[in-house]
Amino acid sequence: MRIAPFWPLAAATFVIGVAATFYFNEYYFVAGYLVLQGLIMATAWNILGGFTGYVNFGSAGFFAMGAYTSVVLYTAINPPLFVVIPAAAVVCGLLGLGAGYLTLRLRGVYFAIATLAMAIVLETLMVNWEYVGGAIGAFIITEDVPFFASYNAYLFVLMLALAIGSVALARYLNFSRIGRGLAAIRDDEVAAECAGVPTLRLKLISTTVMGAMMGVAGALYPYFVTFVEPVSAFSLIVAVNAIAMPMIGGTSTWVGPVIGALLLGSVQEWTKVNISSELNLLIVGVLLVGFVALAPQGIVGLAQKFAAWTREQREKRRGDDSATA
Amino acid sequence: MFSIDLLSNALVAGLLLGGFYAAVALGLSIVFGQLDIVNIAHPAFVILGSYVVYMTNTALGWDPVLAGVLFTPLFFALGVAVYRIYYAGFERTGRESLAGLAFFFGIMFILEVVIILIYGVDYRLVEAAYIGQTLRIGIIDLPYRMLVPFITAMAMTGGIAFYLSRTFTGRAILAVSQDRLALELMGANPIRIKSLAFGIGLATAAVAGALLIIIGPVEPSFGRLYIGRVFAIVILGGMGSIKGTLLAALLIGVSESFVQTFVGPSWADAVAFSVLLLTLVVRPQGLYGRL
Amino acid sequence: MANRIVVDNVEAGYGTVQVLHGVSVTVEAGETVVLLGSNGNGKSTLINCIMGIVRPKAGAIYLEADGERFDLVGRTPAQIVDLGITLVPEGRRLFPALTVEENLMLGAFRKEARARIEQNLETCFEAFPPLRERKTQQAGSMSGGEQQMLAIGRALMSEPKVLLIDEPSVGLAPILVSRVIAKIRELKERRDLTVLMAEQNFNQAIKIADRGYIIVHGEIAFEGKSAADLQDNDMVKQYYLGV
Amino acid sequence: MTQPLLDVQELSKHFGGFTALDQVSLHVGKGERFGLIGPNGSGKTTMINCISGALLNESGRVLFQGQDVTRLKPHQRTRLGIARSFQLPRPFSSMTVLENLCIPLEYAAKERSRLARRQEEAMAILELIGLADKAHDHSGGLTQIDMRKLELARAMAAKPDLLISDEAMAGLSGSEVDEILDRLFTLNERGVGVIMIEHVMKAVMRFSQRIVVLDAGAKIAEGTPDEIVNNPLVEKAYLGE
């Protein structure tokens, strides 16, 4: 599904986003930041889950390792963010590459469970690593940046740029030679291999890109919360959202996770403030279960069905008209 | 610090813990090991068991073990219902892998949040005369809060093993995932057998939940740590072999106890997950591999 | 007791592939009838139709027992087993991780069979002594011949009146094939069974056949009124090798 | 002597204690129509899995156009020119028929091409196979005969020199068998060597120039269809002793 000119739309979104930081109060870009974080995670998850057909339950692990890469760098040399972000991408990309090799031996549920196990093992490592604060956690002190209204506004704009970049990459993958190969793997790995698709290499690309993207989403997290400890960095809600958003939006194209993330993310931020943060979690769970059971193609699928239905109705009506005429 | 005293106590504590782990993994051993249903929400159902036991313990003063046993019919019915939904929504339409996983992932999450909405995130505990007391045999300490769960777990595991190998329905449960059609050719209805098995799987969660809250205070997100343990145990135990499950549970219990004693408590949680990862990569058929 | 199976003009297939194009077969009480023909011609599909595994698109299948007529189309395999029809499936389909004894006990799942379970187990071990020796061994770890015996034994545990056997020779060495075939005749006589057997091994199958049909391409190409009738037919080779 | 297209030398494969193939050799010439037959469980499927790379054999070698491909992965063999169809159709079910063909056209090709060019080529193959009118249908919803055709078409889209057709006719009606057979003859006329694995004897006998018979993992006969039909060993393998 191609939505009208992507790049102009992306540029406009970015400009509006930047402008908005000067007119709205702090709360909106804190909420906005979290929605965008979810969007990157969902987009990343979908590259493996939706395009390639491998379920990753360990998204929180990749996210947290991105965050901890920042913590390590901050503690060691406190480099600027444009160094931190690529570093997190590299670390988590390598982690993703490792997970990719798991696909050699593990399919389906076993792969999913292995990724979950991987996340918990990483969490324990961080809990026991004094350098990054262990179980207690580590503080990050941020400095004001020029031009932006506040540090959070700055992070919001950065996140917006990263989100647009991630979506653009997912969109590219979706429609490229690689994306077509991944779709073949998702449909039937054996048949894909026999059609000349180098399945292992493509799966490795898929897991690496997924890992790197999640690492990027996590890289700014320490600067956003200014305090990182394992329990919140490896939070299950990160993993659940990364799955729920694509499932709700629709997993077969790059658009689904974007729609799912914007929708679910906004609903979550709204309920968090207006009702309670527990209820917001309940909503995620209920929507996830509801969508996988009743609308497996997600919102995108529902929209396509609806479009097909209206087209049919219109044709039927036209048929009736010509019959009466 | 490496004394006989410490060593033997770590071993005994590990065995007691492992016995309890067997009770937690038992239901999953049936549901995942025998039926191939990836009920990742099983530990969440165990936590649900803990909270219903907590409720009757504080409100009515029921003994936790007794309460756990009394709740098994309710959990059984819940299990049958969950399986029917799963069957209608996923298994019958052949979407069990990706969508089915997400389904149970969502259920796990819902259970956790519902408990938080009702009871909050604080730790809860139960009261019984034996909790807090310790049986001492020589240099070995046997705290009742570990001993009672261990004995109950062994009784339950033995009972389930007996049921599976000695009754017609039990054997049918063992057979259903090996060859569904062949079972149908024996005159059994596979869907009925699977509903029963799933129900039994969840019924064990009520008892396991009671044992969990006897051992120590419980909070709603406790279940997550058990995901790795139960899957490690079931897979290491060879997918559905009760003997294998028990052995793997004891092994994990002892390993965790040793790591806790000699390395540090903060590393203990990773033991099961590391074992799981290793098993998956190196020997996916587990200790007692199914053919 | 008279048990007669009638397959009347059945059309069936999988998805959009039609495998059987109007097949009619009867098996009279106490007969051994064989379905012959090389693989992929529809023998198994026909057996699966009788057993309720495949639902025919057209035609009727029924069991006549003691003057009563039971329609088999639309019944589940479990219900058909309850009528006293049991299948020894192609490829044996044992429960590989269960022991020999557990496999046999599962054969007696049907309510009517549970009462005489000890007796039937004993008969089974008598007929197949190796099974007694390997009672506690995992079924999947046995040799092909032993597995085939177990599959037949398991089917007999349900006390069938009609026994359907699908390709008992597949994957067996020639010497074992003749042993299994001979065993089927022996059991048939001892238990007073009605047998319908699908088998690609022509020369072995006709050793025990009272009558037989050759199925080619989903149609009955030849109906032999007796074993001799089948044996002396010059067309057999043509049907098999497609010359 | 010219070098054969495919040269399988003393191939062996075991599964646990079971010998699926025991030192089997065979060769297929350029543009030859070759039949591989045998009773159930004789090792035919193992053989083609070893040729196409889905399984790795323990001993023996597979040479393709003189090159040793024994250790190559399936996709590498496909790129060299060995394509196969599957007995149970395995379409890329989220894609249209045309898109199914575009996968090998893109991935098995020796050089990159534009999408429009690939679609043209895919259409040409679909015309040949007789699926052109279904090009934009979803492959998951095809009828069985069309799925079989799609299997062949997708294998053709890899532009092979050797096509392995794995029971493309099982369960099809007489006229449908003739239809598929016609397509295979047409492909063969364009210089593609074909290995046909088939239970439908009439089809193999009509199609093949040369036939190899496997029984219990060993080669028991080799020759023209006439020779095979009159070979007592073959008769024994099929009719029993």
Side-chain angles (χ1 to χ4, degrees):
Chain A
M1 189 161 68
R2 280 173 199 274
I3 288 192
F6 177 81
W7 284 111
L9 201 69
T13 310
F14 185 72
V15 171
I16 293 169
V18 173
T21 57
F22 295 100
Y23 293 99
F24 290 97
N25 72 30
E26 189 85 0
Y27 163 72
Y28 287 98
F29 30 86
V30 167
Y33 175 93
L34 288 170
V35 172
L36 290 171
Q37 174 185 303
L39 188 133
I40 299 177
M41 292 297 291
T43 299
W45 184 90
N46 202 49
I47 289 171
L48 188 62
F51 297 177
T52 325
Y54 280 81
V55 176
N56 171 13
F57 275 150
S59 307
F62 292 97
F63 175 84
M65 290 314 281
Y68 273 102
T69 306
S70 296
V71 173
V72 170
L73 288 176
Y74 173 83
T75 318
I77 48 173
N78 192 12
L81 287 183
F82 70 84
V83 176
V84 171
I85 294 169
V90 169
V91 169
C92 297
L94 288 174
L95 204 59
L97 187 67
Y101 277 101
L102 287 178
T103 65
L104 268 181
R105 305 205 52 162
L106 304 174
R107 298 268 152 90
V109 298
Y110 293 97
F111 176 77
I113 294 168
T115 54
L116 185 71
M118 203 163 122
I120 304 246
V121 170
L122 290 171
E123 182 175 351
T124 314
L125 287 177
M126 293 306 115
V127 166
N128 289 286
W129 193 17
E130 291 304 325
Y131 189 74
V132 294
I136 299 155
F139 279 99
I140 298 248
I141 295 155
T142 57
E143 291 149 25
D144 277 345
V145 281
F147 180 71
F148 289 99
S150 69
Y151 196 78
N152 279 338
Y154 167 62
L155 286 180
F156 170 77
V157 169
L158 266 183
M159 208 60 170
L160 184 59
L162 291 173
I164 289 171
S166 301
V167 172
L169 179 56
R171 175 176 171 273
Y172 165 74
L173 282 179
N174 200 175
F175 295 122
S176 69
R177 175 184 163 92
I178 293 173
R180 290 186 287 271
L182 293 179
I185 293 174
R186 177 192 60 207
D187 284 356
D188 192 319
E189 203 164 322
V190 174
E193 179 77 25
C194 284
V197 179
T199 54
L200 178 62
R201 195 190 317 152
L202 289 193
K203 285 190 295 184
L204 292 179
I205 291 175
S206 175
T207 54
T208 308
V209 171
M210 173 209 68
M213 213 180 261
M214 288 185 174
V216 165
L220 293 185
Y221 178 76
Y223 298 89
F224 180 67
V225 290
T226 69
F227 171 68
V228 181
E229 47 83 33
V231 174
S232 59
F234 286 89
S235 159
L236 187 68
I237 182 72
V238 172
V240 174
N241 264 331
I243 295 175
M245 288 170 174
M247 289 277 180
I248 289 169
T251 54
S252 53
T253 61
W254 64 274
V255 189
V258 175
I259 294 173
L262 292 178
L263 201 79
L264 191 57
S266 312
V267 170
Q268 279 180 299
E269 292 313 315
W270 187 84
T271 39
K272 225 191 265 180
V273 175
N274 294 291
I275 309 175
S276 79
S277 63
E278 281 76 35
L279 194 73
N280 124 56
L281 299 181
L282 186 63
I283 288 169
V284 181
V286 171
L287 281 177
L288 173 58
V289 170
F291 267 92
V292 291
L294 303 173
Q297 306 302 321
I299 292 171
V300 170
L302 289 179
Q304 282 167 344
K305 253 185 225 157
F306 181 72
W309 181 78
T310 47
R311 205 178 316 126
E312 212 171 86
Q313 291 298 309
R314 203 164 47 228
E315 268 159 29
K316 205 189 275 172
R317 208 173 313 130
R318 198 175 302 144
D320 291 346
D321 288 349
S322 57
T324 47
Chain B
M1 81 171 245
F2 209 87
S3 68
I4 289 291
D5 196 359
L6 205 57
L7 192 71
S8 46
N9 270 304
L11 179 67
V12 170
L15 288 173
L16 293 180
L17 186 67
F20 157 70
Y21 283 169
V24 182
L26 196 56
L28 194 74
S29 172
I30 297 172
V31 166
F32 180 49
Q34 297 297 353
L35 310 184
D36 286 328
I37 299 172
V38 198
N39 181 11
I40 200 162
H42 186 77
F45 282 105
V46 172
I47 303 299
L48 184 69
S50 291
Y51 274 86
V52 295
V53 166
Y54 161 75
M55 187 181 74
T56 53
N57 181 263
T58 45
L60 307 167
W62 289 5
D63 175 79
V65 175
L66 178 71
V69 173
L70 288 177
F71 271 109
T72 51
L74 203 68
F75 273 62
F76 176 83
L78 184 65
V80 172
V82 169
Y83 177 72
R84 292 286 164 160
I85 295 171
Y86 175 75
Y87 173 73
F90 304 96
E91 203 170 84
R92 200 184 39 180
T93 49
R95 303 191 296 126
E96 58 260 58
S97 55
L98 197 147
L101 265 176
F103 171 73
F104 283 114
F105 203 56
I107 297 239
M108 165 182 98
F109 208 64
I110 291 174
L111 283 173
E112 186 176 322
V113 175
V114 166
I115 294 173
I116 293 178
L117 282 174
I118 301 173
Y119 292 103
V121 293
D122 300 331
Y123 279 93
R124 305 281 164 157
L125 47 85
V126 289
E127 282 169 15
Y130 46 82
I131 297 175
Q133 304 208 32
T134 298
L135 180 69
R136 250 189 209 104
I137 303 175
I139 53 165
I140 309 287
D141 286 344
L142 295 168
Y144 281 107
R145 65 168 186 86
M146 296 302 297
L147 196 57
V148 170
F150 177 79
I151 292 167
T152 315
M154 288 303 107
M156 182 163 79
T157 309
I160 294 281
F162 182 83
Y163 173 77
L164 289 179
S165 62
R166 290 284 177 270
T167 65
F168 283 98
T169 334
R171 284 187 289 254
I173 290 173
L174 294 179
V176 69
S177 77
Q178 290 182 45
D179 197 327
R180 210 193 113 125
L181 178 67
L183 184 65
E184 226 174 325
L185 293 176
M186 306 293 107
N189 175 353
I191 306 306
R192 220 190 112 248
I193 297 294
K194 284 189 166 195
S195 311
L196 264 171
F198 203 102
I200 292 169
L202 276 206
T204 66
V207 177
L211 307 185
L212 177 66
I213 203 165
I214 291 173
I215 289 180
V218 170
E219 53 102 1
S221 71
F222 228 56
R224 296 177 200 166
L225 281 178
Y226 279 86
I227 295 174
R229 288 202 184 105
V230 291
F231 276 95
I233 289 167
V234 172
I235 293 170
L236 186 65
M239 296 293 289
S241 151
I242 300 292
K243 193 164 65 168
T245 301
L246 180 58
L247 205 75
L250 293 174
L251 197 74
I252 298 264
V254 171
S255 318
E256 279 190 14
S257 173
F258 273 52
V259 169
Q260 189 154 2
T261 313
F262 300 109
V263 185
S266 54
W267 288 97
D269 287 339
V271 170
F273 285 95
S274 311
V275 171
L276 175 60
L277 262 185
L278 266 175
T279 315
L280 284 176
V281 174
V282 180
R283 194 180 153 80
Q285 70 272 37
L287 293 174
Y288 280 83
R290 249 195 347 212
L291 286 167
Chain C
M1 261 196 301
N3 293 287
R4 177 170 183 258
I5 291 211
V6 179
V7 175
D8 185 17
N9 211 8
V10 159
E11 291 181 23
Y14 305 90
T16 49
V17 197
Q18 188 162 346
V19 181
L20 297 179
H21 309 271
V23 171
S24 298
V25 165
T26 51
V27 187
E28 302 294 339
E31 269 189 324
T32 299
V33 174
V34 292
L35 298 172
L36 300 158
S38 59
N39 252 305
N41 278 307
K43 302 189 302 290
S44 289
T45 308
L46 179 58
I47 296 259
N48 287 342
C49 283
I50 300 175
M51 210 54 219
I53 299 166
V54 174
R55 199 187 169 119
K57 291 188 182 71
I61 303 174
Y62 50 90
L63 166 77
E64 282 178 2
D66 309 321
E68 240 189 299
R69 175 176 153 156
F70 301 94
D71 235 311
L72 299 188
V73 176
R75 283 181 207 258
T76 65
Q79 289 166 333
I80 290 172
V81 171
D82 276 339
L83 289 175
I85 304 175
T86 301
L87 168 66
V88 182
E90 181 176 5
R92 309 184 271 273
R93 306 195 74 144
L94 299 171
F95 304 109
L98 299 188
T99 65
V100 168
E101 194 173 16
E102 284 169 333
N103 268 279
L104 290 172
M105 297 297 263
L106 272 164
F109 190 88
R110 171 164 104 98
K111 289 259 162 24
E112 289 94 296
R114 292 188 191 179
R116 279 177 304 281
I117 198 159
E118 292 302 326
Q119 222 170 305
N120 288 335
L121 202 57
E122 198 45 43
T123 329
C124 211
F125 285 149
E126 251 167 57
F128 304 111
L131 295 187
R132 191 197 299 272
E133 288 160 33
R134 300 178 185 276
K135 215 158 74 168
T136 56
Q137 193 176 325
Q138 280 193 329
S141 68
M142 298 198 304
S143 73
E146 288 163 346
Q147 290 196 15
Q148 188 62 55
M149 290 177 193
L150 177 54
I152 296 172
R154 186 180 64 175
L156 292 177
M157 290 295 289
S158 74
E159 298 208 315
K161 296 174 208 128
V162 180
L163 189 63
L164 310 178
I165 309 176
D166 195 4
E167 302 283 3
S169 76
V170 165
L172 297 186
I175 177 80
L176 286 172
V177 174
S178 32
R179 215 176 285 166
V180 165
I181 295 285
K183 208 53 154 179
I184 290 172
R185 169 165 39 199
E186 178 195 321
L187 286 165
K188 183 235 158 190
E189 275 156 18
R190 197 193 305 184
R191 305 279 292 251
D192 200 18
L193 294 168
T194 302
V195 175
L196 176 64
M197 177 170 82
E199 177 54 62
Q200 59 172 341
N201 189 323
F202 179 85
N203 291 330
Q204 286 291 348
I206 59 168
K207 281 206 264 176
I208 62 167
D210 294 318
R211 288 192 301 121
Y213 300 83
I214 298 180
I215 300 189
V216 177
H217 240 113
E219 286 166 23
I220 303 286
F222 180 78
E223 182 179 348
K225 302 285 181 216
S226 66
D229 205 5
L230 286 162
Q231 193 135 37
D232 304 336
N233 191 323
D234 299 336
M235 306 288 280
V236 169
K237 201 166 143 192
Q238 178 183 337
Y239 295 135
Y240 267 78
L241 294 179
V243 225
Chain D
M1 187 186 142
T2 54
Q3 122 195 344
L5 180 65
L6 176 77
D7 190 3
V8 176
Q9 301 172 347
E10 301 188 338
L11 205 77
S12 294
K13 177 79 195 170
H14 302 264
F15 296 104
F18 175 71
T19 306
L21 287 175
D22 187 19
Q23 303 221 327
V24 179
S25 300
L26 55 84
H27 62 92
V28 180
K30 283 199 171 66
E32 192 180 16
R33 298 191 303 274
F34 178 86
L36 183 62
I37 63 173
N40 254 8
S42 57
K44 303 183 298 279
T45 305
T46 310
M47 175 57 91
I48 56 165
N49 280 337
C50 287
I51 296 173
S52 66
L55 288 174
L56 288 180
N57 46 298
E58 284 123 23
S59 65
R61 297 201 302 165
V62 181
L63 300 183
F64 185 69
Q65 295 181 324
Q67 183 184 346
D68 190 339
V69 298
T70 314
R71 295 289 133 194
L72 294 190
K73 290 192 174 155
H75 75 264
Q76 293 167 317
R77 301 192 199 196
T78 306
R79 286 175 185 186
L80 286 175
I82 303 176
R84 70 173 290 185
S85 71
F86 290 96
Q87 183 182 353
L88 295 172
R90 311 181 75 140
F92 300 130
S93 49
S94 74
M95 303 180 197
T96 66
V97 169
L98 194 74
E99 286 166 343
N100 261 271
L101 267 65
C102 286
I103 295 291
L105 279 169
E106 181 164 24
Y107 272 98
K110 281 160 189 93
E111 57 220 33
R112 304 244 169 158
S113 59
R114 299 176 57 81
L115 179 65
R117 171 97 191 96
R118 292 197 297 271
Q119 286 174 338
E120 257 169 51
E121 284 185 277
M123 273 316 283
I125 295 170
L126 289 176
E127 297 276 357
L128 181 75
I129 289 282
L131 259 184
D133 52 329
K134 308 248 167 67
H136 300 289
D137 289 8
H138 256 276
S139 60
L142 291 178
T143 62
Q144 195 67 20
I145 171 94
D146 286 344
M147 287 245 193
R148 302 298 173 97
K149 288 185 188 167
L150 172 57
E151 275 295 328
L152 285 181
R154 197 175 59 191
M156 277 315 292
K159 298 183 188 161
D161 297 304
L162 175 67
L163 174 72
I164 304 172
S165 158
D166 188 3
E167 299 205 21
M169 295 161 213
L172 298 184
S173 74
S175 61
E176 288 168 337
V177 166
D178 290 342
E179 201 181 335
I180 295 280
L181 214 49
D182 270 356
R183 307 296 177 229
L184 285 171
F185 270 115
T186 318
L187 298 180
N188 176 250
E189 277 159 22
R190 306 187 161 200
V192 179
V194 179
I195 299 181
M196 179 188 277
I197 291 98
E198 199 56 68
H199 273 129
V200 180
M201 283 296 164
K202 228 191 280 175
V204 193
M205 294 297 169
R206 216 182 99 198
F207 183 78
S208 312
Q209 293 164 312
R210 199 161 53 84
I211 292 175
V212 159
V213 188
L214 295 181
D215 188 25
K219 181 161 91 175
I220 58 164
E222 178 168 3
T224 64
D226 274 346
E227 287 164 358
I228 292 297
V229 167
N230 295 314
N231 185 325
L233 282 171
V234 177
E235 191 181 323
K236 210 169 89 178
Y238 269 87
L239 295 182
E241 311 204 7

